[in-house]
Amino acid sequence: MEVAPHGAGWTRSGWRALPAAQLPQWPDPRAAGDVVKQLYELPPLVFTGEARRLTRALASVADRRAFLLQAGDCAESFDEFSAENIVDKLRVILQMAVVLTYGSGVRVLKVGRIAGQFAKPRSAATERVGELELPVFRGHIVNDDVPVPAARVPDPSRMLMAYHQSSATLNLLRAYTKGGFADLTNVHAWNQEFVASSAEGRRYEAIAEEIDRALRFMRACGVDLSTDSPIHQVDFFTSHEALLLDYEEALTRKDPDTGEWYDCSAHMLWIGERTHQLDGAHVEFMRGVRNPIAVKIGPGAEPAEVLELCEALNPARESGRLTLTTRIGVNEVRRRLPPLVEAVERAGHPVVWACDPMHGNTFVSESGRKTRHFDDVLGEIQAFFEVHRSLGSWPGGVHIELTGDDVTECLGGIEDILEEQLPLRYTTACDPRLNARQSIDLAFRLAELLRGD
Ligand code: PEP
Ligand code: CO
């Protein structure tokens, strides 16, 4: 079979001729066009070489030599934009990565859902708030969540605000991950604090002690763990859902060395469960950019459709290019995942298999709040591992929604958050997130799973 060259017949704006799900209707399309023009002139947020490096790193995940930890907010918020918020999230992700590295015994790639995760796909175009039927909130890059009609009108100037917030966030992430904060000894000390801070945490004392011993061993072998050594720096990549194509198009730039196009709004981008129609605008746009990309695969996906997505998005079968992020729900994974894995593996597509245990396990609590139970999140990951292990494929990673704050949005976990506690600190702009302690708890459970305990 002849393989079409990557991106054949593709242009940056070619998606505009196709049906596009989930995009806002800008009230004044000329004003939106003007913002897109301004964004075209602004500097890229990431460098193409970094995206290529992430593709190579993801190829090592596909090749069973690394594990992917993708995590961050469901939706970043213009209202909660602060250094503290960013750093707290980074700290949790770094803590999880250290625990997972130990558990998996392989390198852990750290990819944040951060510095651009603003646009949200929604299941309905309107929502009811009290007596009012309002246009739905689509993320701060489009409109505001305040429940009054004026706030819900899509405002294209928000794309510029999202760009600048992403730029400042990325700047801080680069400083913190290269400047000493991510020092392995530091991160391990935070984990020790977590373990010591509660009776439940002490369950993980044995693992924490083993990691401690490994660090002492490294020091004894002469590995320099001081802040001047390269070991105190980490690679941290950014990602978000490539939903708002006006924004993504405007940040797509040609690499001067290779002549290829990269979406320089983030290192990695994904297509959501609601926008992966094969003849739709999102698949068309994403097939032409050379970043590593992911597609969310839900419980309704059939093997033939998933194979077509692989062909459309990775016709050259380049390892590291495509991640399939399954988000099936704890009760369906054992039945739904195997046929997908078998079809893709049989066809020889070198994908990274990642598990998003959040989106298939969302339900509305009795008090009317969207939530998820920690046990379902862990349960979907366990089932994901079981399926891959029984088929001989590599359970390559996890995709988690979390925050560094002490929120009460998901039930259960180390402090056993109960239904009646949900209103205490329920602050998400969209889906319920694991709080810091639930996230670290999950990482320790995952470490046990990776070690086969
Ligand atoms: C998300 O990742 O926040 C999301 C909406 O996911 P999905 O497309 O899988 O529903
Ligand atoms: Co979400």
Side-chain angles (χ1 to χ4, degrees):
M1 188 180 75
E2 200 171 322
V3 175
H6 193 96
W10 182 89
T11 65
R12 245 187 308 190
S13 56
W15 62 270
R16 292 184 183 271
L18 296 173
Q22 298 284 343
L23 296 189
Q25 296 281 333
W26 302 117
D28 177 358
R30 283 241 321 262
D34 286 346
V35 171
V36 170
K37 265 192 221 130
Q38 287 180 59
L39 284 167
Y40 258 81
E41 302 303 321
L42 290 171
L45 291 175
V46 303
F47 163 54
T48 53
E50 295 172 322
R52 273 196 292 278
R53 197 148 54 79
L54 179 57
T55 301
R56 285 196 298 276
L58 286 161
S60 68
V61 178
D63 209 18
R64 318 171 87 94
R65 289 181 287 117
F67 190 79
L68 167 67
L69 171 63
Q70 191 171 4
D73 251 316
C74 176
E76 287 175 276
S77 161
F78 287 0
D79 306 329
E80 286 183 7
F81 177 37
S82 70
E84 198 185 4
N85 183 289
I86 298 163
V87 171
D88 286 349
K89 217 173 318 178
L90 174 65
R91 180 188 295 120
V92 173
I93 297 174
L94 294 174
Q95 283 183 258
M96 292 176 79
V98 166
V99 175
L100 292 180
T101 307
Y102 175 75
S104 65
V106 296
R107 187 170 155 218
V108 172
L109 297 186
K110 293 164 277 297
V111 179
R113 275 177 73 113
I114 199 167
Q117 176 51 26
F118 291 105
K120 296 311 298 174
R122 304 311 303 261
S123 41
T126 59
E127 72 172 324
R128 235 195 138 71
V129 183
E131 293 300 293
L132 283 175
E133 182 80 7
L134 292 170
V136 76
F137 170 56
R138 293 186 179 276
H140 278 161
I141 195 169
V142 174
N143 57 6
D144 201 357
D145 51 327
V146 178
V148 297
R152 297 296 172 90
V153 177
D155 173 0
S157 71
R158 287 177 164 268
M159 289 193 278
L160 287 167
M161 286 154 73
Y163 169 87
H164 289 295
Q165 183 165 327
S166 300
S167 163
T169 302
L170 200 48
N171 181 53
L172 197 69
L173 289 171
R174 290 188 193 281
Y176 270 82
T177 51
K178 300 297 176 195
F181 178 78
D183 185 293
L184 187 52
T185 331
N186 258 354
V187 179
H188 179 57
W190 298 327
N191 280 342
Q192 283 175 317
E193 241 171 73
F194 167 84
V195 168
S197 66
S198 73
E200 292 78 12
R202 283 197 278 282
R203 180 168 178 256
Y204 306 118
E205 238 163 19
I207 296 187
E209 172 55 30
E210 286 172 43
I211 299 176
D212 204 42
R213 212 174 307 134
L215 288 178
R216 286 202 301 269
F217 177 72
M218 280 161 70
R219 263 185 228 108
C221 291
V223 177
D224 181 6
L225 295 177
S226 72
T227 43
D228 297 330
S229 91
I231 206 159
H232 86 283
Q233 300 197 351
V234 300
D235 282 337
F236 189 86
F237 297 95
T238 60
S239 71
H240 62 257
E241 177 172 351
L243 182 70
L244 188 59
L245 295 179
D246 278 320
Y247 180 81
E248 304 303 334
E249 172 192 324
L251 284 163
T252 296
R253 310 293 160 85
K254 194 183 230 168
D255 181 62
D257 296 333
T258 63
E260 293 170 326
W261 293 97
Y262 283 83
D263 182 345
C264 294
S265 69
H267 300 110
M268 184 180 190
L269 298 144
W270 76 85
I271 309 182
E273 161 69 354
R274 293 167 189 79
T275 48
H276 60 55
Q277 300 80 11
L278 276 158
D279 54 0
H282 292 85
V283 169
E284 170 57 22
F285 174 74
M286 293 280 272
R287 82 180 171 91
V289 299
R290 298 293 283 129
N291 307 60
I293 61 176
V295 188
K296 296 280 203 90
I297 303 292
E302 296 297 335
E305 179 200 355
V306 174
L307 276 183
E308 280 184 275
L309 281 168
C310 292
E311 283 299 323
L313 296 168
N314 191 16
R317 302 185 176 206
E318 182 197 354
S319 190
R321 154 77 174 167
L322 182 61
T323 296
L324 296 180
T325 310
T326 56
R327 32 86 84 222
I328 294 177
V330 61
N331 296 322
E332 291 287 312
V333 190
R334 288 182 180 83
R335 189 166 72 84
R336 288 250 158 218
L337 184 57
L340 304 179
V341 173
E342 279 166 346
V344 172
E345 300 278 314
R346 200 178 315 120
H349 274 285
V351 303
V352 168
W353 291 104
C355 172
D356 164 358
M358 316 299 293
H359 291 88
N361 296 311
T362 316
F363 63 94
V364 177
S365 74
E366 272 173 27
S367 58
R369 283 175 200 272
K370 259 210 270 179
T371 190
R372 294 154 173 164
H373 201 290
F374 181 88
D375 293 346
D376 295 337
V377 170
L378 181 62
E380 178 155 357
I381 298 177
Q382 275 164 340
F384 168 84
F385 271 82
E386 233 175 85
V387 167
H388 283 289
R389 283 187 171 148
S390 73
L391 296 174
S393 45
W394 175 247
V398 289
H399 180 128
I400 308 288
E401 283 184 349
L402 56 74
T403 167
D405 300 338
D406 181 23
V407 299
T408 53
E409 298 171 4
C410 291
L411 300 168
I414 189 150
E415 277 148 352
D416 196 18
I417 293 176
L418 304 171
E419 162 100 44
E420 56 268 27
Q421 293 171 309
L422 289 181
L424 291 179
R425 288 178 301 280
Y426 192 100
T427 59
T428 183
C430 196
D431 291 339
R433 304 156 297 177
L434 296 177
N435 65 30
R437 293 179 66 78
Q438 286 171 323
S439 303
I440 298 158
D441 187 10
L442 186 72
F444 275 107
R445 302 285 187 113
L446 210 63
E448 290 172 349
L449 204 63
L450 284 160
R451 293 172 358 144
D453 282 6

